[in-house]
């Protein structure tokens, strides 16, 4: 009587390993027979396994290879020299926390209280409902994901902007001219900025004219201009990090390619009590015009 011999996943793996090692089918068949396999059952198991393997392999080869955009140089602070503070030129700036992947650095005392207050005072009369860049057209639109009010300064528009821009350039070894003008955002209770990436989506047509003004964004600095009573942290959902908003502190992060693999998805958590003011600086690859 013929004993039924099941073709187990382990047997299939063994057959594939033999083929990959270059052993001829007769040799494989011979060793199966030597270990008690009926010849017909062994041949059927080999055919079935190898046909399935080949079909899977061919399908994989036909899958399009999606290449990552090339990595570009990015700004960074020299935290290797001192994990405690870095030189901002006119001010020593504390390193509260630094991580590598994604590159996130929390700076302490980047701005003085007087600078925070001056930026808020200059921005207040110009606040309007924040808009989000519309990637399809390159324009901007009011968006439910962003329930703050905001405004943009021109680069170097006033004394405090100039001073902060020079400090950031020194701190991050990145030219002042590669920076966009400061953006100020004001959040009231319930307002938030849902998680997003700050780089421009290269697959969208609207990105073309945006990139013509200095290339991609490669880094962001969110500077806290006040300390909200409750809520309003800056979150990095890919890595489970949340930075608490403290007046004068800032969170810096960089992204060397316009791709989610940079793990720089980030958001502004809802403000629960009090208000939140931030100034955001985006740095481009080249001179921003
Ligand atoms: O206000 C924030 O914490 C925040 C979060 C995410 C600001 C931005 N993004 C931004 O200005 O891009
Ligand atoms: Zn952002």
């Amino acid at each position: 009587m013929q004993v039924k011999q099941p073709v187990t996943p382990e047997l299939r793996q063994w057959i594939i390993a033999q083929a990959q090692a270059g052993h001829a089918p007769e040799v494989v068949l011979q060793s199966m027979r030597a270990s008690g396999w009926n010849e017909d059952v062994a041949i059927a198991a080999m055919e079935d396994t190898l046909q399935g393997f080949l079909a899977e392999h061919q399908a994989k080869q036909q899958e399009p290879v999606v290449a990552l955009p090339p990595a570009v140089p990015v700004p960074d602070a020299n935290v290797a020299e001192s994990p405690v503070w870095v030189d901002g030129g006119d001010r020593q700036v504390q390193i509260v926390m630094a991580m590598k992947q994604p590159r996130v650095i929390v700076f302490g005392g980047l701005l003085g209280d007087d600078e925070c207050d001056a930026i808020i005072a200059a921005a207040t009369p110009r606040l309007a409902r924040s808009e989000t860049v519309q990637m399809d057209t390159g324009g901007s639109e009011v968006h439910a994901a962003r329930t703050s009010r905001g405004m943009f300064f021109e680069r170097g528009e006033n004394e405090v902007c100039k001073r902060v821009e020079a400090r950031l350039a020194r701190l991050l070894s990145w030219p002042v001219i590669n920076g966009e003008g400061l953006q100020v955002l004001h959040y009231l209770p319930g307002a938030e900025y849902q998680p997003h990436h700050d780089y421009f989506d290269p697959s969208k047509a609207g990105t073309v004219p945006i990139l013509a003004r200095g290339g991609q964004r490669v880094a962001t600095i969110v500077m806290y201009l006040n300390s909200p009573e409750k809520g309003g942290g800056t979150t990095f959902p890919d890595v489970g990090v949340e930075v608490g908003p403290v007046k004068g502190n800032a969170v810096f992060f960089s992204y060397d390619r316009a791709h989610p693999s940079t793990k720089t998805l980030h958001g502004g958590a809802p403000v629960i009590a009090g208000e939140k003011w931030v100034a955001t600086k985006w740095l481009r690859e080249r001179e921003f015009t």
Side-chain angles (χ1 to χ4, degrees):
M1 188 189 82
Q2 176 68 52
V3 178
K4 192 152 182 6
Q5 292 168 299
V7 181
T8 61
E10 289 75 19
L11 177 66
R12 288 185 188 279
Q13 263 173 20
W14 179 83
I15 292 172
I16 290 165
Q18 300 308 302
Q20 283 176 326
H23 297 144
E26 311 80 68
V27 177
V28 181
L29 188 58
Q30 179 55 38
S31 41
M32 285 180 78
R33 283 180 54 198
S35 48
W37 283 83
N38 167 288
E39 181 160 348
D40 292 341
V41 176
I43 290 172
M46 277 177 63
E47 272 180 1
D48 184 54
T49 301
L50 293 174
Q51 267 170 14
F53 175 71
L54 277 178
E56 212 175 282
H57 190 70
Q58 278 163 355
K60 267 208 185 112
Q61 280 189 328
Q62 277 158 18
E63 274 172 23
V65 180
V66 183
L68 288 178
V72 297
V74 294
D76 203 14
N78 188 0
V79 295
E81 233 169 51
S82 160
V84 179
W85 61 267
V86 279
D87 185 16
D90 62 345
R91 196 178 250 274
Q92 304 284 65
V93 177
Q94 289 172 295
I95 305 295
V96 176
M97 181 283 261
M99 63 188 283
K100 286 192 171 144
Q101 194 56 42
R103 179 48 136 181
V104 176
I105 304 175
V106 179
F107 293 120
L110 175 67
L111 304 180
D113 282 0
D114 51 335
E115 291 171 327
C116 295
D117 299 343
I119 295 171
I120 291 175
T124 299
R126 288 160 58 180
L127 289 177
R129 175 83 195 268
S130 294
E131 298 192 333
T132 304
V133 175
Q134 228 280 321
M135 294 289 192
D136 293 319
T137 61
S140 58
E141 61 174 19
V142 170
H143 203 275
R146 204 173 172 193
T147 48
S148 54
R149 299 203 317 142
M151 57 78 67
F152 273 94
F153 286 109
E154 293 290 319
R155 189 174 59 225
E157 182 177 322
N158 56 36
E159 278 314 306
V160 68
C161 285
K162 268 191 218 151
R163 209 180 325 141
V164 171
E165 284 162 3
R167 193 175 300 152
L168 289 172
R170 172 80 170 256
L171 197 64
L172 300 167
S173 306
W174 207 253
V176 167
I177 55 169
N178 290 23
E180 298 181 28
L182 280 183
Q183 177 205 230
V184 174
L185 294 178
H186 181 217
Y187 303 77
L188 288 172
E192 66 179 316
Y193 196 170
Q194 287 172 9
H196 58 276
H197 294 96
D198 281 353
Y199 54 75
F200 304 107
D201 184 344
S203 70
K204 296 283 162 67
T207 298
V208 174
I210 295 173
L211 296 187
R213 301 181 64 192
Q216 265 292 357
R217 286 178 176 164
V218 286
T220 304
I221 308 104
V222 178
M223 294 167 269
Y224 304 107
L225 304 177
N226 79 324
S227 306
E229 257 170 67
K230 231 189 212 177
T234 304
T235 59
F236 293 83
D238 288 342
V239 286
V241 166
E242 178 162 3
V243 178
V246 174
K247 184 172 184 174
N249 287 6
V251 58
F252 160 85
F253 52 98
S254 63
Y255 22 99
D256 61 3
R257 43 170 64 99
H259 196 270
S261 62
T262 56
K263 299 197 168 110
T264 55
L265 185 71
H266 65 287
V271 172
I272 298 168
E275 56 181 343
K276 175 186 175 190
W277 287 88
V278 298
T280 302
K281 181 82 175 167
W282 287 293
L283 303 178
R284 298 287 191 106
E285 289 177 271
R286 297 180 288 281
E287 177 175 0
F288 176 72
T289 54

